[in-house]
Amino acid sequence: QAEVEETLKRIQSHKGVIGTMVVNAEGIPIRTTLDNSTTVQYAGLLHHLTMKAKSTVRDIDPQNDLTFLRIRSKKHEIMVAPDKEYLLIVIQNPCE
Amino acid sequence: MFLSLAEKNHYFSFFQALQGWRSRLSATAREGGTVSTATRAQSGLLEPAGSAGVAVLATGGVASSPGPGRPGPLQDETLGVASVPSQWRAVQGIREETKSCQTASIATANASAQARNHVDAQVQTEAPVPVSVQPLSQYDVPRLAAFLRRVEAMVIRELNKNWQSHAFDGFEVNWTEQQQMVSCLYTLGYPPAQAQGLHVTGISWNSTGSVVACAYGRLDHGDWSTLKSFVCAWNLDRRGLSPRQPSAVVEVPSAVLCLAFHPTQPSHVAGGLYSGEVLVWDLSRPEDPLLWRTGLTDDTHTDPVSQVVWLPEPGHSHRFQVLSVATDGKVLLWRGVGAGQLQLTEGFALVTQQLPRSTKLKKHPRGETEVGATAVAFSSFDPRLFILGTEGGFPLKCSLAAGEAALTRMPSSVPLRAPAQLTFSPHGGPIYAVSCSPFHRNLFLSAGTDGHVHLYSMLQAPPLTSLQLSLKYLFAVRWSPVRPLVFAAASGEGDVQLFDLQKSSQKPTVLIKQTQDESPVYCLEFNSQQTQLLAAGDAQGTVKVWQLSTEFTEQGPWEAEDLDRLAAEVAT
């Protein structure tokens, strides 16, 4: 329990990180540092996108699998670490 | 005359003869014999019997008296009918012609028609439901811990790489077509209002961004209390848009000075009048657009209303109230109740003695204790915080939650409170417009008759920076809804100036000339749905809709941070 908190706190306190959240396999957020409406929006949209990306990689090469997903936008970068049961989403603002 | 005996005998024998004739006829009739022979015989005897043949009659009658069973002379007899053909009357022949008519044969044809199956479908927009709070679901702690252990290292590595990466330096993607110049899309006007010499005093875009409405009135001094004015609306998305013919026109008995569309209802618009009233119209009902009015009660403003704003009600976020400010120093909050009446729910009054003494203000002459409010802007970050622009040239930071009662003798059904919390340094003349930045919680702009625009931070009284934009008055200033560092100002010289603080803080990036004869531009509004549109109304009664170049509509990277930095460095 404490380990979970500590890990999340470490990630959240990294340079430029705006928000962190953990989403389960159905797309329901479990832990989050952002407000509810934003979390729900991110969770739903990114869950779908991750599933799509995963199926794309598998279609191209069935031996391959998705390890990491990064979306770069004008304002920030969204990083998704997928897993069988969970999804870790981190939003960072890379200011140079 | 006396008849002689002989004559009597004559007549008597004549009568006897006649009777005998009668009886002979009846006898022959009884016997079935032919009457004709008898009559012929008799007629032979009778014909020559004129007046002189009476004796012959008598003799003839007596001579031929046959048959037994003959009735006596005084008995009734029935005689047959004798017919005498008319010799003078001609038989009228009937002329006959045969005609026939026949209708022409009717051509018939059989055809069948069948109504196609149709389906009724209804579309109804619903007010957006606020996102329900999701309870964080139960999870399996050890497995979550294991997962995090697995991914943590990778994520940290990526975060670090990202922080130091220069891969995307200067890399910008353009998704939309680039527009280089600012161009005028539409020039809209209402000829009857322009013929009366009315100015466009207020402009507003509706909640969907497709309808622009303008209010006509006069801003310079004149006899405007009896002037009829108009509120016109054009729907820019309609195909048959005619610039001289608004899609909705409302006639108003008094000059309208300001206008504001409802934030969620696309057809409701509120306007403030010269008479101090606040009216709400529904533009989708052309026959009776007036929805609510304040009427002229004790509560209404006693001076012209300078600005109206829609605010969400504190408890219900989908219902809205109207806030109006006027130069009589009152800030009033109205709610529509019942049959078209706007009722006062909250009120504030600005009194000189109650203004916070953060800056030195000119002493007002005795008798004038009200401070006229000319402009209002609400903060996008704190819905109870607002900035008031005053006639004295100093902006005031106010709050709806202020509790102190106002020292005013103005009659009101609701207790008036004093809202001011902070007084900022004044302009050189009355303020005509204030605007709070949608991107930074502390910054706001104010523009006034001294031709300057001041950028204030809510944390300190003196302005952060002051820009001179015009030698004449400035009538409106608005932050851009998309670019944090851009604002637009309308000047008395007839142009709209667009400032980009990123490029240059001294001179305008784009200068749009709205009027040819330098008549002032009185109001301008950005369209928050279609962000490339900017509408401005001028003293000639025309509304021009400008399309801005792409650099004004797309946010560059890190602009919000630039704004923060600007605020921070100018403040120090």
Side-chain angles (χ1 to χ4, degrees), chain A residues 3 5-15 17, chain B residues 152 156 159:
Chain A
E3 192 190 339
E5 302 298 331
E6 240 175 87
T7 315
L8 286 176
K9 204 173 354 162
R10 264 203 299 273
I11 299 178
Q12 176 67 27
S13 57
H14 213 82
K15 283 191 287 250
V17 171
Chain B
E152 187 197 352
I156 298 281
L159 286 174

Coordinates of all heavy atoms in Angstrom, one line a residue, chain A residues 3 5-15 17, chain B residues 152 156 159:
Chain A
E3 N 3.9 1.3 -0.7 CA 4.8 1.3 -1.8 C 4.1 1.9 -3.1 O 4.7 2.7 -3.8 CB 5.1 -0.2 -2.1 CG 6.3 -0.3 -3.1 CD 6.4 -1.7 -3.6 OE1 5.9 -2.6 -2.8 OE2 7.0 -2.0 -4.6
E5 N 1.8 4.2 -3.0 CA 1.8 5.7 -2.8 C 3.1 6.3 -3.1 O 3.2 7.4 -3.8 CB 1.4 6.0 -1.4 CG 0.1 5.5 -0.9 CD -1.1 6.0 -1.8 OE1 -1.0 7.2 -2.2 OE2 -2.1 5.3 -2.0
E6 N 4.2 5.7 -2.7 CA 5.5 6.2 -2.8 C 5.9 6.3 -4.3 O 6.5 7.3 -4.8 CB 6.5 5.4 -2.0 CG 7.2 6.2 -1.0 CD 8.1 5.3 -0.2 OE1 9.3 5.2 -0.6 OE2 7.6 4.8 0.8
T7 N 5.6 5.2 -5.0 CA 6.0 5.2 -6.4 C 5.3 6.3 -7.2 O 5.9 7.0 -8.0 CB 5.6 3.8 -7.0 OG1 6.0 2.8 -6.1 CG2 6.2 3.7 -8.4
L8 N 4.0 6.4 -6.9 CA 3.2 7.4 -7.6 C 3.7 8.8 -7.2 O 3.8 9.7 -8.1 CB 1.7 7.3 -7.3 CG 1.0 6.1 -7.9 CD1 -0.4 6.0 -7.5 CD2 1.1 6.3 -9.4
K9 N 4.1 9.0 -6.0 CA 4.6 10.3 -5.6 C 5.9 10.6 -6.3 O 6.1 11.8 -6.7 CB 4.8 10.4 -4.1 CG 4.7 11.8 -3.6 CD 4.7 12.1 -2.1 CE 4.6 10.9 -1.2 NZ 5.0 11.3 0.1
R10 N 6.7 9.6 -6.4 CA 8.0 9.8 -7.1 C 7.8 10.3 -8.5 O 8.4 11.2 -9.0 CB 8.8 8.5 -7.1 CG 9.8 8.4 -6.0 CD 10.9 7.5 -6.4 NE 10.4 6.1 -6.6 CZ 10.2 5.2 -5.7 NH1 10.6 5.5 -4.4 NH2 9.7 4.0 -6.0
I11 N 6.9 9.6 -9.2 CA 6.6 10.0 -10.6 C 6.0 11.4 -10.7 O 6.4 12.2 -11.5 CB 5.6 8.9 -11.3 CG1 6.3 7.6 -11.3 CG2 5.3 9.4 -12.7 CD1 5.4 6.5 -11.8
Q12 N 5.1 11.6 -9.8 CA 4.4 12.9 -9.9 C 5.3 14.1 -9.6 O 5.2 15.2 -10.2 CB 3.2 12.9 -8.8 CG 2.5 14.2 -8.7 CD 1.7 14.6 -9.9 OE1 1.3 13.7 -10.7 NE2 1.5 15.9 -10.2
S13 N 6.3 13.9 -8.8 CA 7.2 15.0 -8.4 C 8.3 15.2 -9.4 O 9.2 16.0 -9.2 CB 7.7 14.8 -7.0 OG 8.4 13.5 -7.0
H14 N 8.3 14.4 -10.5 CA 9.4 14.5 -11.5 C 9.2 15.9 -12.2 O 8.2 16.5 -12.2 CB 9.3 13.4 -12.4 CG 10.6 13.0 -13.0 ND1 11.4 12.1 -12.3 CD2 11.2 13.3 -14.1 CE1 12.5 11.9 -13.0 NE2 12.4 12.6 -14.1
K15 N 10.3 16.3 -12.9 CA 10.3 17.6 -13.5 C 9.2 17.7 -14.6 O 9.2 16.9 -15.5 CB 11.7 17.8 -14.2 CG 12.8 18.2 -13.2 CD 14.0 18.7 -13.9 CE 14.7 17.5 -14.6 NZ 16.0 17.1 -14.0
V17 N 6.0 17.2 -14.6 CA 4.8 16.4 -14.6 C 3.6 17.1 -14.1 O 3.6 17.7 -13.1 CB 5.0 15.1 -13.8 CG1 3.8 14.3 -13.7 CG2 6.1 14.2 -14.4
Chain B
E152 N 7.8 1.5 -13.4 CA 8.3 2.8 -12.9 C 9.6 3.2 -13.6 O 9.8 4.3 -14.0 CB 8.5 2.7 -11.4 CG 8.9 4.0 -10.8 CD 9.5 3.8 -9.4 OE1 9.4 2.7 -8.9 OE2 9.9 4.8 -8.9
I156 N 10.2 6.7 -15.7 CA 11.2 7.7 -15.2 C 12.2 8.0 -16.3 O 12.6 9.1 -16.5 CB 11.8 7.2 -13.9 CG1 10.8 7.0 -12.8 CG2 12.9 8.2 -13.5 CD1 10.3 8.3 -12.2
L159 N 10.6 10.1 -18.9 CA 10.4 11.5 -18.4 C 11.7 12.3 -18.5 O 11.8 13.4 -18.9 CB 9.9 11.5 -17.0 CG 8.5 11.1 -16.8 CD1 8.1 10.9 -15.3 CD2 7.5 12.1 -17.4

